[in-house]
Amino acid sequence: MTEHLTPHEGRKAPAARPTAPADPRGALLRSPQTPQGARDTSPGASVPPTSEHSQPSASEPDPGRPRPAPDGVPAQPGPSGPPDGEERRTGRPRPPGSGPTAMRRDGDRLRFVGAATRRIARGIDLDEIVMGLCRATVPTFSDAILVYLRDPLPVGDERPTGPLVLRLRRTDRLRSIEEGAEEPDTDGGTLPSLQVVQPDITDVMGTAELCEVRHGGALAEVLRGVRPVFADSAAARAALPELLGEGRTVPTGRRAILAPLRGRRRVIGAAVFLRRPDRPAFEADDLLVAAQLATHSALGIDKAVLYGREAYIADELQRTMLPETLPRPTGVRLASRYLPAAETARVGGDWYDAIPLPGSRVALVVGDVMGHSMTSAAIMGQLRTTAQTLAGLDLPPQEVLHHLDEQAQRLGSDRMATCLYAVYDPVSHRITIANAGHPPPVLLHLGGRAEVLRVPPGAPIGVGGVDFEAVELDAPAGATLLLYTDGLVESRLRDVWTGIEQLRERLAATAQLTGPDHPPPLEALCDEVLDMLGPGDRDDDIALLAARFDGIAPSDVAYWFLEPEDATPSRARRLARSALVRWGLEDLTDSVELLVSEVVTNAVRYASRPITLRLLRTDVLRCEVGDDVPQLPRLRQARATDEGGRGLYLVNKMARRWGATRLSTGKVVWFELNRN
């Protein structure tokens, strides 16, 4: 192959010189070499020709970048400190008393500061940043470090109260062979252990954990000054005993640097860099290095504290907007799970809900606001509140989604979410489902067959101008309906339909363990479903709602239509009495007759159409009276001269629970009595 010279190449580039393996720290510490620009005049050494325009070959190391001395070539003594050619960073044991070489040029310091600040900046939480500072400085810059932080750390514009207290957050140092340890270096390698740790550093590392900074004291003055100082300065000589504790050995001379850690608004701590006596002392330029390390660390700590507080607030905001407990409606058992996303995107907008409806029905809701932010969590709370209000009006599922769509558009043009709204009726054993761009639910039958329900997909909430459809399906007793968000079935490793199929197979396999006649326990089923998540499946938060349909048998339901006439209350009493006799609940006859008479009398007084009377026998006895009047009754205290107004007072005193719900066609007043 013919080599072509560039126009600026006067002659062939010099041959590459043999180099030692690269330093794992990026050659931040270098062994002394022949001074730059000098030529080797030893016998047999060839002097390569030079030219003003000649360029080094690609295999030749950068002459401006420090590198270790080659094996077998003795190193020359440096301008300061002991010779360091006796042992390079190859993993061999160091002779006693040797240590890392001091940085001798501005280029060394710049490269070290760049590598150290990059390592510090990689940290996200507080511990990672503090550890990054320690690992970046020991042993490259110092033999030991102590990091103090305010306790507690202020957040943002928060004004600290009380005295300034510094807590020793972390210490790091080189360990001796006698201690039997090797410290990891900045890039994850290992450092050769030292034979002896000098007593001054050992004593300092056992410093007190807490230090209260006296107002107007020497330590307060140093922290207020912000700039790092040597231990031999007048300010440091008085401040270090206050920081390290009385009776501790305080380093002397330029073998310690006290550097305040100042965040964006205030001092948040201090760092102490230490060197052993057998290592070159700090130089004046090392104060600039310490200042850079302290500044980047303090800003990183500020960032970590703000991030941690924001993540905590968002997580608490989202969790408080989810149901604290699930209701216990008649004819259905419920279980739920919620998992936040991974640390990189922990805030989301997933929610679930179960809302009791008139007629012993229950609304099951699951939704997912698009995005991962506090805004998503806030919008989730607004949509969930809207869904609860709409459910209280007993609107059909498709109407609920329509109003949610309008609400999302009022919140903003880019506020979008998916939602699935289902209403289960335990009397008719039917479920009505409407979908707005959400993954379809899965129904696990009693025999172990898992079925992905075919529901119209619909458009997400917030698109606008889209009609939503509802389908009515069978909900047999013993079946389990699983509602979930896409974080359960979709990730970077699989698409949503692959995840749905895996979910269906997991449910079917779990049901086989309990046999065809017994459904799996609901809580254990939820845990089993979450176990299908792999290590890369936590890109999104997950909401899971499981409903086990028990239903109400037809023999436990008594239902009548009654005309609004004067004789209707007495007829209602007779019908209720006959139902109680049939169910073997004669002990409740007197209470039921009295309460039914009061509620039916109130309905007859104002209704213009036939009223309904329904009794349900479950773990309690429930009575429901419906009419076409939308106004809800109010509990009030009747005066002694009033002829009426005591019906609801009796209901409130005698019933286990009671309530009234407004419907689109009127209202339902209900009460419950214990069977025992």
Side-chain angles (χ1 to χ4, degrees):
M1 181 175 67
T2 304
E3 180 179 358
H4 299 281
L5 299 177
T6 62
H8 296 289
E9 289 181 310
R11 59 187 69 228
K12 187 175 180 181
R17 290 177 294 178
T19 61
D23 191 295
R25 289 184 180 273
L28 296 180
L29 303 176
R30 61 184 294 270
S31 299
Q33 303 295 324
T34 303
Q36 187 175 0
R39 298 184 182 179
D40 189 359
T41 58
S42 60
S46 60
V47 181
T50 59
S51 171
E52 181 182 357
H53 302 290
S54 63
Q55 300 176 353
S57 66
S59 60
E60 181 176 351
D62 183 1
R65 183 178 180 86
R67 60 185 178 83
D71 290 335
V73 179
Q76 301 298 324
S80 63
D84 58 351
E86 298 174 358
E87 208 286 324
R88 298 176 297 106
R89 307 207 26 143
T90 58
R92 302 194 191 103
R94 291 180 182 271
S98 64
T101 309
M103 292 177 282
R104 296 184 174 85
R105 296 190 307 170
D106 292 340
D108 294 337
R109 290 187 173 89
L110 290 176
R111 279 187 286 273
F112 165 70
V113 170
T117 53
R118 284 193 298 271
R119 172 153 192 164
I120 294 170
R122 286 200 297 264
I124 295 179
D125 60 26
L126 183 61
D127 291 333
E128 289 179 351
I129 294 173
V130 175
M131 182 180 291
L133 171 63
C134 295
R135 292 295 186 241
T137 55
V138 178
T140 309
F141 182 68
S142 63
D143 296 313
I145 184 175
L146 297 90
V147 181
Y148 289 83
L149 296 179
R150 293 184 73 140
D151 186 25
L153 276 168
V155 181
D157 295 329
E158 176 182 308
R159 288 185 174 274
T161 58
L164 171 57
V165 177
L166 297 181
R167 178 182 292 275
L168 183 61
R169 183 77 185 195
R170 186 177 179 86
T171 63
D172 206 355
R173 65 186 174 99
L174 287 173
R175 298 181 184 176
S176 65
I177 291 180
E178 296 175 358
E179 292 175 299
E182 286 188 343
E183 287 290 328
D185 70 0
T186 306
D187 293 325
T190 56
L191 292 176
S193 300
L194 301 179
Q195 290 283 1
V196 179
V197 175
Q198 297 297 330
D200 58 342
I201 290 184
T202 304
D203 292 343
V204 172
M205 299 305 287
T207 182
E209 183 179 356
L210 288 178
C211 167
E212 182 174 338
V213 181
R214 297 190 300 269
H215 180 70
L219 181 57
E221 292 298 323
V222 173
L223 296 179
R224 188 180 297 113
V226 178
R227 295 181 180 179
V229 293
F230 287 123
D232 61 354
S233 66
R237 281 198 301 269
L240 281 174
E242 182 180 348
L243 178 65
L244 303 179
E246 298 296 336
R248 297 291 177 182
T249 302
V250 178
T252 59
R254 293 192 171 187
R255 300 196 177 277
I257 295 178
L258 174 58
L261 302 177
R262 181 174 180 82
R264 291 173 177 83
R265 293 175 177 83
R266 59 185 63 86
V267 173
I268 60 174
V272 181
F273 304 95
L274 303 166
R275 282 189 181 176
R276 302 190 321 269
D278 61 339
R279 184 177 179 184
F282 289 110
E283 301 175 2
D285 289 341
D286 290 330
L287 288 179
L288 300 177
V289 175
Q292 287 288 328
L293 296 175
T295 299
H296 283 274
S297 300
L299 294 177
I301 291 171
D302 255 3
K303 173 194 68 177
V305 173
L306 286 171
Y307 173 80
R309 175 63 64 87
E310 183 175 310
Y312 171 79
I313 292 174
D315 188 58
E316 286 299 308
L317 173 66
Q318 186 172 13
R319 288 186 179 275
T320 53
M321 289 182 179
L322 295 174
E324 184 175 353
T325 58
L326 290 174
R328 298 182 178 179
T330 303
V332 61
R333 286 173 285 170
L334 302 173
S336 64
R337 294 290 186 275
Y338 173 77
L339 290 180
E343 291 294 327
T344 53
R346 60 184 301 169
V347 183
D350 291 16
W351 90 90
Y352 63 88
D353 213 342
I355 309 168
L357 299 178
S360 299
R361 296 170 300 149
V362 60
L364 308 173
V365 191
V366 66
D368 183 4
V369 177
M370 297 182 183
H372 295 86
S373 64
M374 292 185 66
T375 303
S376 301
I379 293 174
M380 177 267 287
Q382 291 175 302
L383 293 181
R384 177 175 176 246
T385 302
T386 303
Q388 288 180 326
T389 303
L390 296 171
L393 300 176
D394 199 27
L395 298 178
Q398 64 272 21
E399 290 294 326
V400 172
L401 295 184
H402 174 73
H403 290 293
L404 284 176
D405 179 63
E406 292 181 338
Q407 174 68 6
Q409 294 179 65
R410 285 191 290 268
L411 295 176
S413 58
D414 57 344
R415 309 307 189 197
M416 300 182 66
T418 63
C419 182
L420 192 143
Y421 188 94
V423 175
Y424 170 65
D425 189 343
V427 176
S428 63
H429 296 269
R430 304 280 288 177
I431 186 168
T432 306
I433 305 176
N435 189 14
H438 203 79
V442 180
L443 184 65
L444 178 63
H445 293 269
L446 183 59
R449 180 173 64 91
E451 173 189 8
V452 179
L453 298 182
R454 295 183 178 181
V455 297
I461 292 171
V463 173
V466 179
D467 291 332
F468 298 98
E469 300 180 32
V471 294
E472 188 174 348
L473 305 171
D474 288 330
T480 304
L481 183 69
L482 200 70
L483 309 180
Y484 53 90
T485 55
D486 58 356
L488 179 66
V489 295
E490 185 180 20
S491 69
R492 292 172 294 176
L493 306 179
R494 59 182 177 182
D495 62 83
V496 61
W497 289 108
T498 301
I500 292 175
E501 181 60 23
Q502 292 179 0
L503 172 62
R504 189 192 65 79
E505 294 175 354
R506 173 61 66 94
L507 290 174
T510 304
Q512 296 298 326
L513 300 177
T514 58
D517 299 328
H518 302 282
L522 204 55
E523 297 290 341
L525 181 65
C526 292
D527 294 335
E528 187 69 23
V529 167
L530 293 182
D531 285 343
M532 67 178 283
L533 296 172
D537 293 346
R538 291 293 300 280
D539 302 326
D540 196 2
D541 50 342
I542 299 170
L544 176 66
L545 180 62
R548 173 70 46 76
F549 300 142
D550 295 330
I552 300 176
S555 57
D556 293 329
V557 180
Y559 191 86
W560 303 278
F561 284 96
L562 303 175
E563 294 294 332
E565 302 171 345
D566 294 339
T568 298
S570 61
R571 183 186 177 197
R573 290 194 295 269
R574 290 195 303 272
L575 294 174
R577 187 187 310 114
S578 63
L580 294 177
V581 171
R582 185 169 67 251
W583 291 336
L585 300 176
E586 294 88 348
D587 295 342
L588 299 178
T589 301
D590 294 338
S591 300
V592 171
E593 285 189 1
L594 176 60
L595 299 185
V596 166
S597 178
E598 293 294 339
V599 177
V600 171
T601 299
N602 190 69
V604 169
R605 180 178 300 175
Y606 302 103
S608 58
R609 296 181 181 179
I611 63 176
T612 60
L613 172 63
R614 183 165 72 169
L615 297 180
L616 301 174
R617 183 185 63 169
T618 57
D619 54 338
V620 297
L621 181 67
R622 182 183 177 97
C623 175
E624 300 173 350
V625 177
D627 58 55
D628 61 344
V629 180
Q631 286 79 15
L632 300 180
R634 293 185 298 109
L635 179 64
R636 62 186 181 89
Q637 185 71 36
R639 292 174 298 183
T641 57
D642 292 340
E643 295 183 359
R646 296 177 177 82
L648 287 182
Y649 179 79
L650 293 174
V651 173
N652 185 60
K653 285 294 185 181
M654 300 179 62
R656 172 178 175 267
R657 291 194 312 155
W658 76 277
T661 306
R662 183 179 286 111
L663 307 178
S664 57
T665 58
K667 68 174 181 294
V668 169
V669 179
W670 57 270
F671 62 85
E672 293 177 352
L673 293 172
N674 292 322
R675 293 178 53 179
N676 296 328

